[in-house]
Amino acid sequence: MHQRQNQETLILLPGMVCDQASWAPVAGHLEESAEIQIADYGDLGSVTGMAERVLASAPPQFSLAGHSMGGRVAMEICRLAPERVQRLCLIATEHTPKPEGEAGAQETNARLDMIELARSQGMTAMAKAWSPNLLAEENRGNQVLLDEMVRMIGRQPVERLESHIRAGETRPDSTDVLRSLNCPVMLIAGEQDSLRPASVMARMQSLIAHCHFEIIPSCGHMPMMEQPDMVGSLLQDWLTAEINPSENHTDEPA
């Protein structure tokens, strides 16, 4: 896409075993306001490696929107190169490392079960078993949406699932990153997201100086696919809002 003079670049960061299809429903809302790039992490197995890959091909300055694991990549980009990030949007994500003790063991075991299913029956079988958990209950009967998610996840190789799970196991603690942000930030949570509840993102909001927080009704863990018009409108407003210069020169929040 040809970039108009002074047009921002917006880099969209997909979640675990997601690709361009996860962002496609909202990308059309944004193409008049920004040059859109959708990241591909390849088979990298660390959040830092993914962030470095995005930075290597990014322009000197850009805006970021990250979903789920992509939100973690976005926060790591902000740690590595905060001066390059003009705006930040985090969707259905969290900022803490893998928990210790029983909670961490349960998370690891659940993800190992995903790998085992993918190895034994294929990624499409794993996608069919996993996808309903990503949606609000009222959206689980939307066969068109479910089919699109299964196709997206099913076309990823098992090795990519394994590398993304490795990245999740070693994910960094981004608490200090959130405290240090001095660009405009928007958080988006699904009201019925059981994986990354809105309460988790509310804690993130409390750490950020300049932050707008939206909770999307009738929505689970896939806001861009479940409620694309609402999310697209929010992203459009966020992307076109004038940046107050003072937002780039502020003390950290208490």
Side-chain angles (χ1 to χ4, degrees):
M1 179 179 177
H2 179 69
Q3 185 174 13
R4 297 192 298 268
Q5 187 175 9
N6 298 324
Q7 188 180 37
E8 290 187 27
T9 295
L10 172 60
I11 301 176
L12 304 175
L13 305 171
M16 186 175 77
V17 290
C18 294
D19 59 23
Q20 294 186 3
S22 66
W23 283 105
V26 302
H29 292 267
L30 309 173
E31 290 176 344
E32 291 301 313
S33 302
E35 179 191 18
I36 305 299
Q37 299 180 7
I38 302 179
D40 180 352
Y41 317 118
D43 291 330
L44 293 170
S46 76
V47 171
T48 299
M50 294 172 183
E52 290 172 340
R53 179 177 174 129
V54 173
L55 283 167
S57 60
Q61 288 198 310
F62 49 85
S63 294
L64 280 175
H67 168 246
S68 193
M69 184 186 75
R72 295 187 179 280
V73 176
M75 288 181 276
E76 185 68 356
I77 289 171
C78 290
R79 184 186 71 81
L80 294 172
E83 73 285 353
R84 295 176 63 182
V85 180
Q86 295 173 294
R87 310 170 195 263
L88 176 66
C89 177
L90 302 173
I91 302 176
T93 191
E94 64 178 344
H95 62 293
T96 55
K98 191 183 86 168
E100 299 180 353
E102 183 62 24
Q106 289 179 357
E107 178 184 308
T108 297
N109 289 336
R111 295 192 171 196
L112 290 176
D113 287 345
M114 292 167 62
I115 293 175
E116 179 57 31
L117 179 58
R119 286 174 176 166
S120 62
Q121 299 184 37
M123 284 292 290
T124 296
M126 191 282 291
K128 287 180 178 178
W130 188 43
S131 292
N133 301 321
L134 303 178
L135 301 178
E137 185 173 356
E138 62 205 81
N139 296 329
R140 293 172 188 171
N142 184 335
Q143 198 60 47
V144 173
L145 174 58
L146 274 171
D147 288 348
E148 180 60 29
M149 290 177 59
V150 168
R151 283 194 296 270
M152 175 179 69
I153 296 169
R155 61 176 167 259
Q156 312 302 319
V158 175
E159 293 77 13
R160 185 154 301 171
L161 171 65
E162 293 171 340
S163 66
H164 288 183
I165 286 177
R166 285 198 306 274
E169 287 284 300
T170 60
R171 61 187 185 260
D173 185 342
S174 298
T175 301
D176 288 343
V177 173
L178 296 183
R179 289 193 176 114
S180 68
L181 291 172
N182 54 22
C183 65
V185 181
M186 181 167 66
L187 304 181
I188 296 176
E191 185 180 43
Q192 298 179 43
D193 188 346
S194 60
L195 298 181
R196 301 292 179 265
S199 58
V200 170
M201 300 202 75
R203 291 196 292 273
M204 296 171 66
Q205 181 192 24
S206 71
L207 299 170
I208 303 170
H210 304 286
C211 185
H212 179 69
F213 182 29
E214 290 280 349
I215 299 176
I216 309 298
S218 303
C219 187
H221 190 61
M222 303 296 293
M224 306 95 68
M225 300 182 79
E226 293 179 80
Q227 298 293 343
D229 291 342
M230 186 175 297
V231 173
S233 179
L234 287 171
L235 287 169
Q236 172 71 6
D237 290 346
W238 161 79
L239 190 61
T240 56
E242 185 175 351
I243 297 177
N244 186 335
S246 67
E247 290 182 341
N248 293 323
H249 302 84
T250 185
D251 295 332
E252 293 181 6

